[in-house]
Amino acid sequence: MDLGLKGRKALVLGASRGLGRAIASALAAEGATIYAAARNAQSADLADGVIPVTLDLSDRNSVDALTKRLISEGGVDILVNNSGGPKPGPAAGQDMSAWASAFEQMALSIFAITDALLPAMIARGWGRIITIGSSGVVQPIPNLALSNGVRGAISGWSKTLAAEVAAHGVTVNMILPGRIETDRLRELDANKATKTGMSAEAVRKASHGDIPAGRYGTPEEFAAVATFLASKQASYVTGTQIRVDGGLVRGF
Ligand code: NAD
């Protein structure tokens, strides 16, 4: 199937590893030109058709410099908003500066990038804004209060924006990973192992047991959903959240 991505330009944030890297590779394989953003641009040097660019989501000057450059190069058709996840920890007693920095890196920076790149999409009458969230938006994950809280705000923003730009041919959606096997997931499992005294293998086995599919997802399975949402075929899909979680979340 031709997904209509040849010749499209995409900016993928957090593209040096994990979900962002897999999405950048999948879109590049469909013939899109990718700006792959990472704090260290060299780490996002993936393949032909991929242009590594520097971006630190915690630094507004870095955000402004990149958006200015992209606007001067005609903007992008597809924006994949992805960021590093915050440190684990509870809601009670959480440091206010940790809330502020998580909000800056995960929410304000992507709001600013989207706002800067949106006018060119509207002018062309075609755009795809895809934001990576978490299953914690639907069912908050214990001990990930910063992630659960900030992503709730992003979810409200994404849904509001979708209705504002739908008539201009710009779709705005979120993909919610459950447990996809990336370095971050391995780090969270190691953190749990240290906290509980269980072995990393026992943590992993117990975690697989919570998932109806009986395993973690792969970054490639996740990226396939992002690629569909970026495609021409997904033109009437907007304002949605698609979970990629092997059935982990039991609610609708
Ligand atoms: P990851 O930690 O493996 O990758 C995150 C990417 O963001 C990396 O490329 C990292 O370099 C980049 N990044 C971090 N801080 C940055 C900054 N200040 N500026 C620019 N780039 C920065 O995580 P992942 O597993 O690929 O997950 C991606 C997102 O999805 C995260 O926000 C994560 O919390 C969320 N998520 C992942 C899962 C999962 O199962 N993997 C589940 C739920 C939510």
Side-chain angles (χ1 to χ4, degrees), residues 101-189:
S101 85
F103 201 74
E104 177 66 37
Q105 282 186 54
M106 296 168 64
L108 293 181
S109 55
I110 68 159
F111 299 168
I113 292 169
T114 305
D115 261 356
L117 297 177
L118 198 50
M121 292 185 193
I122 290 174
R124 279 195 288 273
W126 201 98
R128 300 283 186 263
I129 296 166
I130 300 165
T131 300
I132 311 309
S134 166
S135 65
V137 167
V138 185
Q139 185 173 296
I141 302 167
N143 205 44
L144 279 182
L146 292 172
S147 171
N148 297 332
V150 174
R151 291 189 210 276
I154 295 169
S155 172
W157 164 82
S158 180
K159 184 73 182 167
T160 309
L161 181 63
E164 292 174 9
V165 299
H168 298 285
V170 179
T171 67
V172 184
N173 293 291
M174 288 186 76
I175 315 178
L176 311 182
R179 294 181 193 151
I180 312 296
E181 188 146 18
T182 63
D183 290 332
R184 172 165 170 86
L185 188 71
R186 284 186 278 272
E187 285 157 14
L188 288 173
D189 278 357

Side-chain angles (χ1 to χ4, degrees), residues 65-81:
L66 178 61
T67 52
K68 226 179 235 164
R69 169 182 164 183
L70 293 180
I71 290 166
S72 76
E73 293 177 17
V76 296
D77 306 295
I78 300 158
L79 168 61
V80 179
N81 287 319

Side-chain angles (χ1 to χ4, degrees), residues 186-207:
R186 284 186 278 272
E187 285 157 14
L188 288 173
D189 278 357
N191 182 278
K192 196 167 179 188
T194 310
K195 249 183 107 179
T196 58
M198 291 163 76
S199 69
E201 195 42 43
V203 167
R204 184 184 167 85
K205 226 175 155 184
S207 189

Side-chain angles (χ1 to χ4, degrees), residues 14 16-17 19 39 56-57 82-83 85 151 178 180 182 184:
S16 67
R17 69 177 205 178
L19 304 181
R39 282 167 293 183
D56 182 348
L57 289 160
N82 174 50
S83 65
R151 291 189 210 276
I180 312 296
T182 63
R184 172 165 170 86

Side-chain angles (χ1 to χ4, degrees), residues 52-64:
V53 293
T54 305
L55 173 69
D56 182 348
L57 289 160
S58 66
D59 175 359
R60 198 61 73 81
N61 291 329
S62 164
V63 166
D64 291 346

Side-chain angles (χ1 to χ4, degrees), residues 16-28:
S16 67
R17 69 177 205 178
L19 304 181
R21 188 179 181 93
I23 293 169
S25 301
L27 292 176

Side-chain angles (χ1 to χ4, degrees), residues 208-225:
H208 283 188
D210 293 337
I211 304 169
R215 64 176 178 85
Y216 290 152
T218 67
E220 291 73 26
E221 287 174 305
F222 187 85
V225 177

